[in-house]
Amino acid sequence: MAEFESHSPGETERIAAELARALEIGDLVTVSGELGAGKTTFVRGACRALGVTAAVTSPTYAIGNRYRGRVDISHLDLYRFDSMSERDWGDLEEYFDGAIAFVEWPEVAGAYLSHARTRVRLRLDEDTHRLIEVQSA
Amino acid sequence: MEKPDREAARVAGAGPLILGLETSCDETAAALVTRDGRILSNVVASQAELHARYGGVVPEVASRRHLELVTPVVEEALARGKKTLHDVETVAVTRGPGLIGALLIGVSAAKALAWSRRLPLVPVDHLHGHVAALYLDPEQVEPPFLCLLASGGHTLLLEVAEKSGFRVLGRTLDDAAGEAFDKGARLLGLGYPGGAALDRLARMGDPEAYRFPVARVPGLDFSFSGLKTALVYAVRGLDAGELERRRADLAASYQRAIVKALVEQTLAAAKSGKASRIAVVGGVAANSELRSAIPDAALAPLDLCTDNAAMIASAARFTPATPFPEYLALDAYASAA
């Protein structure tokens, strides 16, 4: 497990970019953390490193975004789910095909995401620093 | 919702009709609209309503829910307009952006309906739909205008020169404005989604009590995630009693910051000469402070601001149709280009 400290969105993006270099199609990265912790910022940094030039925004409402970079990237957000039924999961499965996938608010999906290659956890420190914990399987 | 009888009477003998379908996110919706922009029916299956009416439908975000609802919703739209499929000339459907599985239900249903009667199909961009809500009766807005589109999923500034499309001048770099409202409401213990509750509470608070940052971003873009974090910290410093006492002030100050960001960028765009008239569409147009902050803005009626199919049918009036049977190869798209 590695731990980083970020003092700005730019720094969070750079830490994510570093991680993104090792990712391959089929990989799944879960990104946890409370509201405002910097999850979308982290995913944006990874996407930029993977060649995505389009806007990388919070997918809370859409649930899923798909971006095209050097590879396809799926950006999911399970914030609006209270629980994850099999049919909900069925809607999302195709986002994992042929892409590197990032999932914000992954907790609700539990076992469906047990194959995550990397688990990222962001925490808001007392003085607006972020602690970023990266755990790779 | 308007009374179906009045809707139908108003357009008795209306010409060829467009049947619109919308399933890009939570709402399953169908509508009948005339070529000249009159709404015959506009049916949105809200989760609460359907729970009561069709019984046993689990309110969740799932393609299967759209699948269960799309046929009843289309039937309802035809019935309320006192029309049948024979009166439909064109089928319109949201092609994206949205949740891919959800979009595919609408696209597949629209293909089947169009195919069965050898009708043309019009694939519509959801964002164009929001703008096209302004081209519907009773007050059709004529371009050129500057359009602020602010909803739970989108926040964009658009230059609208003609009804067939728009040019993006700016967009949110992180959270949508409606999302900022809803997440702020949750942080304040108002439930989720709580944008409307936050708006009500804000009226009782002091908008100057807290200084929340209005993000300065280059150009005409928006950013709301820093504001959300600022609210996290403000709430974190309070115990339960203090939070209770300051809740209205927090809501008012937080709302002020969101509205200020929206208004400042919109007015900046207007000032730079893109267009003099301003229009506001999307669910956030319901916010009372935003409405009064741009007093001369053209506003679509509230039921046309949130996701609906009348706006999709309206956009189809200004979008090239795909002839039968070419549209069978049509695919949905998940993200805006």
Side-chain angles (χ1 to χ4, degrees), chain B residues 10-18 32-38 40 83-84 86-90:
Chain B
R10 203 169 58 206
V11 289
L17 301 175
I18 303 167
L32 281 178
V33 169
T34 66
R35 275 265 152 226
D36 55 359
R38 286 174 292 166
L40 273 69
K83 298 289 175 187
T84 70
H86 293 273
D87 303 305
V88 173
E89 161 206 68
T90 303

Side-chain angles (χ1 to χ4, degrees), chain B residues 55-69:
Chain B
V57 179
V58 184
E60 61 186 325
V61 185
S63 301
R64 194 166 140 200
R65 196 176 66 85
H66 285 299
L67 184 59
E68 287 162 354
L69 294 177

